[in-house]
Amino acid sequence: MKSDLDRLMSERNLDGLWVTGPGLHNPAMSYFTGLAHLTRADLVKPRGQEPVLYYYPMERDNAIATGLRTKNINDYDPLRLLREARGNRARAMAARLKLSFEDLGLRGRVGVYGTVDAALPLAVAKELHSHMPEVTLVGEGEDTLLIAARATKDEAEIERIRQVGRATTAVVARTAEYLTTRRVRGDTLLREDGQGLTVRDVKARISAWCSEFGLEDSEGVIFAIGRDGGVPHSSGKPDDLIRTGQPIVFDFFPQESGGGYFYDITRTWCLDHAPQEVEELYRHVQAAYQLALDSFTPGMLCRFAQRRVCEYFEAQGHPTLLSNTTTEVGYVHPLGHGVGLNLHESPVFSDVEQNNDRLEPGMVFTLEPGLYYPERGMGVRLEDTLVIGRDARIEVLAEYPMDLVLPMRKAARAGTSRARPATRPSAKPARTSKRATGRAKPRRR
Amino acid sequence: MKSDLDRLMSERNLDGLWVTGPGLHNPAMSYFTGLAHLTRADLVKPRGQEPVLYYYPMERDNAIATGLRTKNINDYDPLRLLREARGNRARAMAARLKLSFEDLGLRGRVGVYGTVDAALPLAVAKELHSHMPEVTLVGEGEDTLLIAARATKDEAEIERIRQVGRATTAVVARTAEYLTTRRVRGDTLLREDGQGLTVRDVKARISAWCSEFGLEDSEGVIFAIGRDGGVPHSSGKPDDLIRTGQPIVFDFFPQESGGGYFYDITRTWCLDHAPQEVEELYRHVQAAYQLALDSFTPGMLCRFAQRRVCEYFEAQGHPTLLSNTTTEVGYVHPLGHGVGLNLHESPVFSDVEQNNDRLEPGMVFTLEPGLYYPERGMGVRLEDTLVIGRDARIEVLAEYPMDLVLPMRKAARAGTSRARPATRPSAKPARTSKRATGRAKPRRR
């Protein structure tokens, strides 16, 4: 949490933080500024002091609205600095940083953060080194202090993610409603104009619904049918037709418009009816979900949960990463990941001994077991976003039914080319148990 | 253009390029991969060779769909590398890069690019230096080789930006249509439910229309009324009511969904009628637009166009950056900027002697003069995105009328609280000339 920053700076021997880049789609900056329309800004936080936001005057209103201490970059006459740097912008930026650091009395080790082109920090670090040898810009790699601070969320952040989850599941519900009310010709769903409904059509609607709910699908949407659903990150072929009886992996991970908090949910759906082998995969995935959910305890190593799910899947005869670290069938990815201003953040669930991430109160993370058999034309994944509360309760932040089979509304059926009984023998929906819907529940002890 | 890459690498003494980060919202990566859903990938291009895309196997379909040479990251056993690096992910990444570079016979100076957290490249550069001293990772700052290559667009890129422009102006037209068909109470536009229409309402609709047209407003939307329009990058107060007779600066700069090419357009609108002092500002801005458009010639220094517009505005009595580099009233920003996979890229138009950017065939850039008087409650900006063709023709990529006044449809008027004549004396629309609408035209010589 933000209140951990000074402690983490001490632990990591950092005297200051420099965050750079835009105000939107920049988690490190948004963590301090909120979703502020800043084309470009700098934020400097000396240890033990409040951060200062440096803004360009055209964006002063947006800067001031952040509520942070602010300073106009023009006060440093950046055009003069650029002239003195003979047009070398990295050098001019280093010169301006030097003035800021001096104003704040900052020297020593300064961590560097912010979503920018990689070419910039390398160049500025080199220039600053000659301008101000008493400061060292430190790149912390991926496991930065900000990632560590952001791994636990405060109440306001959890509430925001819960709101994103509500909007997200509203879009999922609308998608299900849309699909199940389509007319069907043969086994193909139809658009309003009578043409076959495609993955592209569905994604366009999902995007529009996102906007309506204040979300953006900035990382895309996975809506993958059959074989594609068997390749975990295949996002689905745009021209694929939506058909009944085929497994659809719908992995939906929008964020607040402008680059804010994410939510992440996956459902696997079969419209009208499900093939028996998909139902079997589904049961294994659902059991793994429940097994993992029941195992989560504050303080546990995340990799133990991954290990447990691998062992369960292997007992059911599926290959997993446990016995083959490069398998591309069976269970091929970690059990979950932290969710926040990044879609993927701490904690991580990889089962490698170097992964010492543990579940802690305030963490928000996904639970997403899956099984993948592209050559058999199928994949199944089920995913929710959970929080561990201060009281150690595990809670799904936004509940949504887990049913595999979505029955088509009978009145919508228009198919004539292939006769089919209204209910097929294999159309038994695999019902999820009440617990498997991820209802908030007290921890068993 | 892409065909310039090897030449630019020679000029800059670079033996290779390393591009890292996701496939979406990452201009340096998208430039090679297109809009590929890759959570994380690396691309390495030795000079004189085709680039190789390194992908994680979960995303192999998306990687292969790019048409690039590809290699599965798992072939390097990244889990083993992470173990050997004792969990230090930057070190493991450096070890993997070393293997890639050795496979490709790459050594020497390697430029680093890609939208990632600044902490990563600094850490990897440090680690790689000890793993592979025969390679130096080079940060080129902001004026990178890729920015230089991307400053001129090939025909396929220009056509894509033109398509984005068509979608963008379609959303602008829909916005105008929506506003002018609202009912009005007093001078306030009304929503369907009879409540006052706010900036928030309008932006929500714009976002939804974006999705419909395959766009995303990833950098936000400026819809700024009155005083806010006088602060160039104020994005508008969400709760502000839309009223007739007030200047609205609508600056709209969406990109292809997923982080592709941008388009950028600004119109200043007064609904129903315009105050006389806004009309006067508008005439000055429109004249500056035309003056600049007429001055553009391939080979000209961009800063000369900025200088000329400053001189014109000063002759009309407006402060500009020419006589006061920190003015916040009058004309306070550069005349334009390159547009491509970044909203702001080369060329730049700042009037500083270090700016040697020149207009060249294939460049796509904005022309956007504006005048700002927040204390007088107004700002005016007019902007289009232009291209210089191979034949030296200057063309607005997507034309849209420039009218200041948007007449309200008479039938929509529901106001009773303030009597007003159907046509006010000040309601003369300031018509744009045919040339001022930016119609494609042959260069005068």
Side-chain angles (χ1 to χ4, degrees):
Chain A
M1 285 181 284
K2 275 204 200 79
S3 54
D4 298 325
L5 286 174
D6 286 316
R7 176 180 59 75
L8 288 167
M9 290 172 75
S10 292
E11 285 174 15
R12 294 177 181 225
N13 189 26
L14 289 172
D15 302 289
L17 311 178
W18 168 41
V19 184
T20 189
L24 300 178
H25 294 288
N26 182 357
M29 186 66 83
S30 302
Y31 191 55
F32 293 97
T33 59
L35 293 175
H37 189 89
L38 300 165
T39 304
R40 182 156 190 182
D42 293 287
L43 181 138
V44 179
K45 177 185 154 47
R47 192 164 76 214
Q49 293 182 37
E50 291 298 306
V52 177
L53 177 65
Y54 298 83
Y55 64 92
Y56 284 94
M58 292 207 305
E59 300 175 328
R60 68 175 180 276
D61 286 7
N62 302 336
I64 289 164
T66 64
L68 295 168
R69 288 166 68 195
T70 57
K71 189 167 172 69
N72 186 335
I73 284 175
N74 269 6
D75 291 353
Y76 293 122
D77 200 349
L79 288 176
R80 181 179 58 79
L81 296 177
L82 187 61
R83 266 197 308 277
E84 290 172 2
R86 301 184 180 191
N88 180 326
R89 287 193 266 178
R91 192 171 301 157
M93 190 167 186
R96 179 164 60 75
L97 273 184
K98 176 174 189 284
L99 296 173
S100 303
F101 290 176
E102 286 171 352
D103 281 353
L104 295 168
L106 174 58
R107 49 194 299 166
R109 286 165 45 88
V110 177
V112 184
Y113 317 88
T115 307
V116 291
D117 191 77
L120 181 73
L122 282 169
V124 173
K126 190 175 165 204
E127 294 292 341
L128 190 71
H129 183 72
S130 53
H131 272 69
M132 200 181 187
E134 66 274 28
V135 163
T136 303
L137 292 185
V138 178
E140 294 193 83
E142 296 181 55
D143 307 309
T144 68
L145 173 152
L146 290 180
I147 294 291
R150 286 165 41 199
T152 53
K153 275 73 176 173
D154 62 30
E155 290 302 322
E157 290 179 282
I158 291 168
E159 186 51 34
R160 269 178 79 177
I161 300 172
R162 194 192 309 278
Q163 294 299 333
V164 178
R166 285 187 185 138
T168 300
T169 50
V171 174
V172 173
R174 209 173 272 195
T175 306
E177 166 78 13
Y178 180 75
L179 292 172
T180 55
T181 53
R182 288 315 88 200
R183 287 186 305 130
V184 179
R185 184 184 301 131
D187 58 0
T188 303
L189 273 65
L190 301 182
R191 305 195 307 204
E192 290 74 1
D193 64 3
Q195 298 294 304
L197 182 73
T198 64
V199 167
R200 180 186 290 107
D201 297 329
V202 174
K203 285 193 180 179
R205 288 189 175 263
I206 291 169
S207 278
W209 292 324
C210 278
S211 298
E212 195 178 318
F213 285 94
L215 303 175
E216 58 173 83
D217 50 356
S218 47
E219 304 262 346
V221 172
I222 293 175
F223 197 90
I225 304 181
R227 179 199 163 277
D228 288 351
V231 181
H233 277 210
S234 169
S235 52
K237 291 193 196 67
D239 292 323
D240 271 4
L241 291 166
I242 316 291
R243 298 174 194 278
T244 57
Q246 289 208 346
I248 298 168
V249 173
F250 177 27
D251 191 346
F252 185 43
F253 33 88
Q255 69 183 145
E256 295 168 293
S257 289
Y261 287 88
F262 280 90
Y263 196 83
D264 196 355
I265 182 171
T266 304
R267 290 294 180 265
T268 300
W269 288 336
C270 285
L271 295 163
D272 191 63
H273 62 278
Q276 208 162 349
E277 59 175 359
V278 175
E279 285 192 349
E280 187 185 319
L281 271 202
Y282 174 86
R283 278 193 299 272
H284 292 167
V285 172
Q286 199 186 17
Y289 178 106
Q290 192 59 41
L291 181 85
L293 186 64
D294 290 345
S295 77
F296 290 147
T297 315
M300 86 181 285
L301 279 165
C302 295
R303 63 183 156 96
F304 282 2
Q306 169 74 355
R307 172 73 56 103
R308 191 168 304 195
V309 166
C310 285
E311 286 167 350
Y312 167 76
F313 279 141
E314 298 218 339
Q316 309 304 316
H318 301 289
T320 78
L321 296 172
L322 181 60
S323 51
N324 174 2
T325 58
T326 61
T327 185
E328 295 181 9
V329 296
Y331 178 52
V332 302
H333 57 65
L335 184 61
H337 53 82
V339 175
L341 288 165
N342 281 115
L343 175 56
H344 298 97
E345 55 182 51
S346 292
V348 297
F349 282 77
S350 313
D351 181 22
V352 292
E353 61 184 305
Q354 293 77 17
N355 176 15
N356 292 312
D357 285 359
R358 290 174 185 275
L359 291 180
E360 293 172 35
M363 280 184 167
V364 173
F365 59 98
T366 67
L367 165 57
E368 50 176 315
L371 289 170
Y372 307 94
Y373 292 96
E375 264 60 66
R376 291 163 60 196
M378 62 183 186
V380 170
R381 181 164 66 254
L382 294 171
E383 175 184 33
D384 282 309
T385 301
L386 318 178
V387 64
I388 309 190
R390 299 276 163 269
D391 55 0
R393 276 164 53 105
I394 309 282
E395 183 193 349
V396 173
L397 278 166
E399 292 186 39
Y400 189 84
M402 259 192 198
D403 304 65
L404 171 64
V405 174
L406 301 188
M408 298 298 288
R409 310 272 177 98
K410 293 297 177 288
R413 184 172 299 278
T416 53
S417 59
R418 280 172 53 184
R420 175 190 294 145
T423 311
R424 288 160 60 102
S426 68
K428 278 181 310 191
R431 303 297 304 178
T432 58
S433 73
K434 192 164 182 181
R435 291 175 68 207
T437 62
R439 192 171 298 282
K441 60 183 177 60
R443 292 293 311 147
R444 292 162 306 94
R445 293 286 186 177
Chain B
M1 284 183 282
K2 277 204 198 79
S3 54
D4 298 325
L5 285 174
D6 286 315
R7 176 180 59 75
L8 288 167
M9 289 172 75
S10 293
E11 286 174 15
R12 294 177 180 225
N13 187 27
L14 288 172
D15 302 289
L17 310 178
W18 169 41
V19 184
T20 190
L24 301 178
H25 293 289
N26 182 357
M29 185 66 83
S30 301
Y31 191 54
F32 294 97
T33 60
L35 292 175
H37 188 91
L38 301 165
T39 303
R40 182 159 189 178
D42 292 287
L43 181 138
V44 179
K45 177 183 154 47
R47 191 164 75 214
Q49 293 182 38
E50 289 299 304
V52 177
L53 178 65
Y54 297 83
Y55 64 91
Y56 285 95
M58 293 208 305
E59 300 175 327
R60 67 176 180 275
D61 287 7
N62 303 335
I64 288 164
T66 63
L68 296 167
R69 288 166 68 196
T70 56
K71 190 167 171 69
N72 185 335
I73 285 175
N74 269 5
D75 292 352
Y76 293 121
D77 200 350
L79 287 176
R80 181 180 56 78
L81 296 177
L82 188 61
R83 266 195 310 276
E84 290 172 3
R86 300 182 182 193
N88 180 324
R89 288 193 267 178
R91 192 172 301 158
M93 189 167 189
R96 179 166 60 75
L97 273 184
K98 177 173 188 286
L99 296 172
S100 304
F101 290 177
E102 286 170 352
D103 281 354
L104 296 168
L106 174 58
R107 48 193 299 164
R109 286 165 45 87
V110 177
V112 184
Y113 317 88
T115 308
V116 291
D117 192 76
L120 181 72
L122 281 170
V124 173
K126 189 175 165 205
E127 293 292 340
L128 190 70
H129 183 73
S130 52
H131 272 69
M132 199 180 189
E134 66 274 28
V135 163
T136 303
L137 292 185
V138 178
E140 293 192 83
E142 295 179 56
D143 306 309
T144 70
L145 173 152
L146 291 180
I147 294 291
R150 286 165 41 200
T152 53
K153 275 73 176 173
D154 62 29
E155 289 302 322
E157 289 179 283
I158 291 169
E159 185 51 33
R160 268 177 78 177
I161 300 172
R162 194 191 309 276
Q163 294 299 333
V164 178
R166 285 187 185 137
T168 300
T169 50
V171 174
V172 173
R174 208 172 275 196
T175 307
E177 166 78 13
Y178 180 76
L179 293 172
T180 55
T181 54
R182 288 314 89 199
R183 288 188 303 131
V184 178
R185 184 184 302 131
D187 58 2
T188 303
L189 274 64
L190 301 181
R191 306 193 309 203
E192 292 73 2
D193 65 3
Q195 298 293 305
L197 183 72
T198 64
V199 167
R200 180 186 290 107
D201 297 329
V202 175
K203 286 193 179 180
R205 286 185 178 266
I206 291 168
S207 278
W209 292 324
C210 278
S211 298
E212 195 178 317
F213 285 95
L215 303 175
E216 58 172 84
D217 50 356
S218 47
E219 303 263 346
V221 172
I222 294 176
F223 197 90
I225 304 181
R227 179 198 163 277
D228 288 351
V231 181
H233 276 209
S234 170
S235 53
K237 290 192 197 68
D239 291 324
D240 270 5
L241 292 167
I242 317 291
R243 299 175 194 278
T244 57
Q246 289 208 346
I248 298 168
V249 174
F250 177 26
D251 190 347
F252 185 43
F253 33 87
Q255 69 182 146
E256 294 168 294
S257 289
Y261 287 87
F262 280 90
Y263 196 83
D264 197 354
I265 183 172
T266 305
R267 290 294 179 266
T268 301
W269 288 336
C270 285
L271 296 163
D272 191 62
H273 62 279
Q276 208 162 347
E277 59 175 359
V278 174
E279 285 190 351
E280 186 184 323
L281 271 202
Y282 174 85
R283 279 194 297 273
H284 292 167
V285 172
Q286 198 186 16
Y289 178 105
Q290 192 59 42
L291 180 84
L293 185 64
D294 290 344
S295 77
F296 290 147
T297 314
M300 86 181 285
L301 280 166
C302 296
R303 62 184 156 96
F304 283 2
Q306 170 74 356
R307 173 72 57 101
R308 191 169 304 196
V309 166
C310 284
E311 287 167 351
Y312 167 75
F313 278 142
E314 298 219 339
Q316 308 304 315
H318 302 288
T320 79
L321 296 171
L322 181 61
S323 51
N324 175 2
T325 57
T326 61
T327 183
E328 295 182 8
V329 296
Y331 178 52
V332 303
H333 58 64
L335 184 61
H337 54 82
V339 174
L341 289 165
N342 280 115
L343 175 56
H344 298 97
E345 55 183 51
S346 292
V348 298
F349 283 77
S350 313
D351 181 22
V352 293
E353 61 184 304
Q354 294 76 18
N355 176 16
N356 292 311
D357 285 0
R358 290 176 185 275
L359 291 180
E360 294 172 35
M363 281 185 166
V364 174
F365 59 97
T366 66
L367 165 58
E368 50 176 316
L371 289 170
Y372 307 94
Y373 292 96
E375 266 62 56
R376 291 163 60 196
M378 63 183 185
V380 170
R381 182 164 64 254
L382 294 172
E383 175 183 32
D384 282 310
T385 300
L386 317 178
V387 66
I388 308 189
R390 299 276 162 271
D391 56 0
R393 275 164 55 103
I394 308 282
E395 182 193 349
V396 173
L397 278 165
E399 292 185 40
Y400 190 84
M402 259 193 197
D403 304 66
L404 171 66
V405 174
L406 302 188
M408 298 298 289
R409 310 271 176 98
K410 293 296 178 286
R413 183 172 299 278
T416 52
S417 59
R418 280 172 53 185
R420 173 190 297 142
T423 309
R424 287 160 59 103
S426 66
K428 279 182 309 193
R431 302 298 305 179
T432 58
S433 73
K434 191 164 184 180
R435 291 174 67 208
T437 62
R439 193 170 299 281
K441 60 184 176 59
R443 292 293 312 146
R444 291 163 307 94
R445 292 287 185 179

